[in-house]
């Protein structure tokens, strides 16, 4: 029987500024680019994850991503700061068991996230077999 579990953490960015240079830099650092480009509304959107983050919990995954983001060179930090949305999205796969599932993010991590201007969201995917 599968148990409710943490899947991974994605980093989602939306900006009126071209995200290409940031995307290129993060992909060279072994981040997976889930998608990146300009949409019909003129907004640039990019989603990333890091290969190691599915084996860690959300605290470790976000902390590892922040280690890179906090050290971005000036021109990439400018692109990062121009983003209207900078969100660490924690993915959870729901199952029938256990009755409750929890994850904790430390005060220190929350302060680091806030200092970068980013947010944290949680996406819970329904258990297989649940009606839509």
């Amino acid at each position: 029987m599968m148990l409710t579990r943490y899947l991974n953490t994605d980093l989602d960015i939306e900006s009126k500024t071209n995200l290409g240079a940031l995307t290129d830099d993060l992909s060279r650092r072994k981040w997976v680019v889930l998608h990146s480009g300009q949409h019909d509304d003129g907004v640039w959107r990019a989603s990333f994850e890091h290969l190691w983050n599915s084996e860690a919990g959300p605290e470790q995954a976000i902390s590892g991503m922040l280690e890179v983001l906090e050290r971005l060179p000036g021109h990439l930090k400018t692109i990062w700061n121009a983003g209207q949305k900078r969100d660490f999205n924690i993915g959870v796969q729901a199952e029938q068991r256990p009755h409750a599932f929890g994850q904790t993010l430390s005060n220190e991590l929350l302060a680091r996230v806030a200092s970068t201007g980013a947010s944290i969201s949680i996406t819970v995917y329904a258990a297989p077999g649940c009606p839509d």
Side-chain angles (χ1 to χ4, degrees):
M1 169 188 292
M2 295 294 291
L3 300 175
T4 297
R5 65 198 176 282
Y6 165 73
L7 293 173
N8 66 358
T9 299
D10 293 346
L11 172 61
D12 299 321
I13 305 172
E14 293 183 3
S15 183
K16 294 179 182 172
T17 301
N18 186 328
L19 297 171
L22 182 60
T23 298
D24 291 345
D25 183 79
L26 295 179
S27 68
R28 281 193 297 275
R29 296 172 191 257
K30 307 297 186 213
W31 289 41
V32 177
V33 180
L34 301 173
H35 66 82
S36 179
Q38 189 174 29
H39 291 246
D40 292 341
D41 59 4
V43 175
W44 292 83
R45 292 181 176 88
S47 290
F48 308 90
E49 64 183 32
H50 199 281
L51 292 176
W52 47 255
N53 91 35
S54 63
E55 297 171 13
E59 173 95 12
Q60 297 85 356
I62 295 170
S63 181
M65 287 189 265
L66 284 170
E67 286 177 21
V68 172
L69 297 168
E70 290 166 339
R71 294 186 177 118
L72 288 173
H75 70 289
L76 296 178
K77 187 152 303 245
T78 298
I79 294 171
W80 168 262
N81 288 333
Q84 289 81 21
K85 175 182 177 182
R86 293 163 285 179
D87 183 63
F88 295 98
N89 187 322
I90 298 169
V92 174
Q93 176 62 59
E95 298 290 346
Q96 298 298 316
R97 301 258 184 245
H99 174 72
F101 176 82
Q103 296 283 289
T104 301
L105 301 175
S106 68
N107 291 335
E108 294 82 10
L109 181 72
L110 296 173
R112 286 176 67 197
V113 169
S115 74
T116 68
S119 59
I120 297 173
S121 62
I122 301 168
T123 299
V124 179
Y125 299 95
C130 288
D132 286 341

